[in-house]
């Protein structure tokens, strides 16, 4: 008897405030044309003052719990993938646990940048396979706008805010997670980093003067690593699941750049309608990008029972991951 981890509810939430490419044209030396053709992004959502990561996470969680028809008090564990927590301590997961009144749930954050949601989902999967009754809330939530240098046109047009969530539990049916694949390569960490405000470089004027509180990215190098890693983990996950590419019903990949998504679609020989794309509306929301896309695909009716779904991510660290599941 195989125990599988099944997603029983999804939810997402983005801040109300929208920043379009035309707004950015007024702030920095850029153009809607450059951003659209080089990235696929048209607009993104940005937190207003006082709106925090945990607020987004709580709203996404409530939507997922509603869909799952599960009371927060039934939750055993809350995992939040994030690189932009409200504060170093406590975790976002603890703030969510308190706000939801999830009295018996353990709570932790996982730091795996843009792979944060798939890393968290993989941990939840192992937990559920040991305890099929467990009900786990898995969230990806980010406020990247507060780690973005709004003078740096090479990064500020890309990153944005949002949260997505999924509730998982055990099943003996055919549906659920089939395989999970986690990877990392810390040797090239400097290609995508926020150097400052950790314990290596605590708050001090010299750190702020250098802009080390912000995301730094060697875009072209990251692009090359991303396409290679995403393609490789896609094939690895399919092979482990015993699936052929043509069996796949939907690919949900991290929304970092439309050109990465198109490159992947060509390399994997997938038709357009099998690759989920929403980067034009949200930009790159790091750990939130896959659960937001998953929730949209779910609510748009693009996931039918039994569908074969592949999710893949890539981000700073580097980290990359793949998860296959039958819907
Ligand atoms: O989520 C984690 C994973 N992240 C990623 O996967 C991101 C991967 N990288 C990328 O998506 C792309 O490399 C970027 C979108 C970041 C950049 O696109 P690119 O085609 O690699 O551009 P580039 O960095 O090679 O820059 C080309 C030109 C440069 O001008 P010169 O040197 O050729 O005169 C840049 O200064 O475009 C210029 N540029 C801009 N121009 C207008 C860079 N940013 C902008 C901008 N507006 N916002």
């Amino acid at each position: 008897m195989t125990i599988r981890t099944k997603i029983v509810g999804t939810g997402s939430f983005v801040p109300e405030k929208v920043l379009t490419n035309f707004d950015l044209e007024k702030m920095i030396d850029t153009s809607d044309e450059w951003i659209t053709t080089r990235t696929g992004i048209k607009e993104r959502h940005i937190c207003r003052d006082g709106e925090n990561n945990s607020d987004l996470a709580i709203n996404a969680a409530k939507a997922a719990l509603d869909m799952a028809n599960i009371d927060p008090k039934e939750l055993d564990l809350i995992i939040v993938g994030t690189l932009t927590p409200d504060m170093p301590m406590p975790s976002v997961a603890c703030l969510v646990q308190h706000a939801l009144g999830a009295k018996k749930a353990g709570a932790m954050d996982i730091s795996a940048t843009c792979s944060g949601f798939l890393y968290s989902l993989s941990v939840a999967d192992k937990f559920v396979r040991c305890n099929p009754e467990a009900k786990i809330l898995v969230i990806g939530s980010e406020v990247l706008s507060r780690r973005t240098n709004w003078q740096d046109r090479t990064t500020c047009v890309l990153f944005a805010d949002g949260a997505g969530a999924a509730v998982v539990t055990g099943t003996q049916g055919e549906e659920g997670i089939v395989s999970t694949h986690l990877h990392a390569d810390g040797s090239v960490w400097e290609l995508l980093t926020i150097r400052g405000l950790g314990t290596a470089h605590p708050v001090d004027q010299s750190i702020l003067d250098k802009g080390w509180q912000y995301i730094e990215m060697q875009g072209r190098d990251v692009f090359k690593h991303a396409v290679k890693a995403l393609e490789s983990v896609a094939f690895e996950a399919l092979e482990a699941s015993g699936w052929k590419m043509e069996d796949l019903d939907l690919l949900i990949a991290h929304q970092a750049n439309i050109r990465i998504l198109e490159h992947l679609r060509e390399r994997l020989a997938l038709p357009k309608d099998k690759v989920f794309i929403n980067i034009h509306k949200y930009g790159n929301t790091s750990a939130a990008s896959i659960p937001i896309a998953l929730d949209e695909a779910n609510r748009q009716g693009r996931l039918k029972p039994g569908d074969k779904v592949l999710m893949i991510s890539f981000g700073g660290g580097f980290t990359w991951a793949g998860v296959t599941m039958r819907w």
Side-chain angles (χ1 to χ4, degrees):
M1 184 180 59
T2 311
I3 300 292
R4 290 239 169 99
T5 307
K6 183 188 176 186
I7 293 181
V8 289
T10 59
S12 57
F13 184 84
V14 290
E16 209 182 316
K17 186 173 161 191
V18 174
L19 191 69
T20 66
N21 292 349
F22 299 106
D23 295 328
L24 282 164
E25 281 182 353
K26 292 177 203 137
M27 295 160 59
I28 46 161
D29 178 18
T30 191
S31 64
D32 170 57
E33 200 267 333
W34 191 96
I35 303 171
T36 306
T37 52
R38 304 311 291 168
T39 73
I41 303 167
K42 295 297 286 183
E43 59 185 35
R44 68 287 288 143
H45 292 252
I46 302 291
C47 282
R48 56 179 158 68
D49 288 350
E51 192 174 27
N52 292 317
N53 184 319
S54 58
D55 300 316
L56 309 185
I58 289 160
N59 279 306
K62 283 181 177 165
L65 288 161
D66 266 3
M67 186 189 283
N69 201 16
I70 285 177
D71 192 292
K73 291 187 183 65
E74 297 173 57
L75 289 172
D76 297 282
L77 183 60
I78 298 170
I79 313 177
V80 180
T82 189
L83 72 103
T84 50
D86 294 29
M87 45 199 143
M89 181 168 69
S91 63
V92 175
C94 279
L95 299 174
V96 173
Q97 182 270 340
H98 171 61
L100 294 178
K103 297 262 186 239
K104 72 168 171 140
M108 64 176 169
D109 287 0
I110 285 185
S111 173
T113 63
C114 306
S115 302
F117 179 76
L118 292 188
Y119 265 60
S120 301
L121 189 61
S122 303
V123 171
D125 176 46
K126 307 309 168 212
F127 197 94
V128 166
R129 282 173 194 254
C130 295
N131 174 14
E133 301 296 312
K135 294 183 174 64
I136 304 182
L137 175 61
V138 184
I139 302 172
S141 185
E142 302 285 10
V143 181
L144 294 161
S145 62
R146 294 204 187 120
R147 288 302 212 164
T148 298
N149 180 351
W150 289 98
Q151 318 292 309
D152 175 10
R153 69 175 184 171
T154 68
T155 53
C156 78
V157 302
L158 307 171
F159 299 106
D161 307 339
V167 181
V168 302
T169 190
T171 174
Q172 288 173 23
E174 282 299 299
E175 71 272 48
I177 291 173
V178 179
S179 74
T180 65
H181 307 268
L182 308 184
H183 295 286
D185 179 3
S187 70
V188 275
W189 67 269
E190 281 187 289
L191 296 178
L192 180 47
T193 180
I194 301 170
R195 287 170 203 274
L197 308 195
T199 51
H201 303 290
V203 192
D204 122 352
Q205 195 53 49
S206 71
I207 298 297
L208 301 179
D209 291 345
K210 284 189 274 198
W212 281 13
Q213 67 274 38
Y214 300 128
I215 298 167
E216 282 173 50
M217 180 169 75
Q218 306 300 320
R220 271 190 217 180
D221 289 333
V222 174
F223 191 103
K224 286 184 207 146
H225 280 89
V227 288
K228 229 164 103 187
L230 287 166
E231 185 184 331
S232 132
V233 80
F235 281 111
E236 178 191 345
L238 286 188
E239 195 183 333
S241 308
W243 299 354
K244 294 197 186 70
M245 198 57 77
E246 55 266 33
D247 297 338
L248 207 61
D249 293 293
L250 194 63
L251 171 71
I252 298 181
H254 172 46
Q255 308 283 305
N257 188 317
I258 191 74
R259 289 183 293 134
I260 294 179
L261 297 170
E262 275 166 3
H263 178 93
L264 269 174
R265 192 176 67 74
E266 275 169 30
R267 298 289 301 176
L268 306 182
L270 286 168
K272 270 194 165 163
D273 63 336
K274 290 193 176 180
V275 179
F276 193 85
I277 290 173
N278 65 4
I279 189 169
H280 51 291
K281 294 191 286 182
Y282 303 118
N284 181 344
T285 57
S286 188
S289 102
I290 288 185
I292 291 174
L294 179 68
D295 182 49
E296 282 203 343
N298 192 14
R299 286 173 197 266
Q300 289 169 7
R302 287 185 66 177
L303 297 167
K304 308 264 181 315
D307 271 3
K308 291 180 170 142
V309 183
L310 169 64
M311 298 183 281
I312 51 177
S313 62
F314 178 87
F318 288 142
T319 63
W320 61 105
V323 173
T324 55
M325 67 177 171
R326 299 287 299 253
W327 194 251

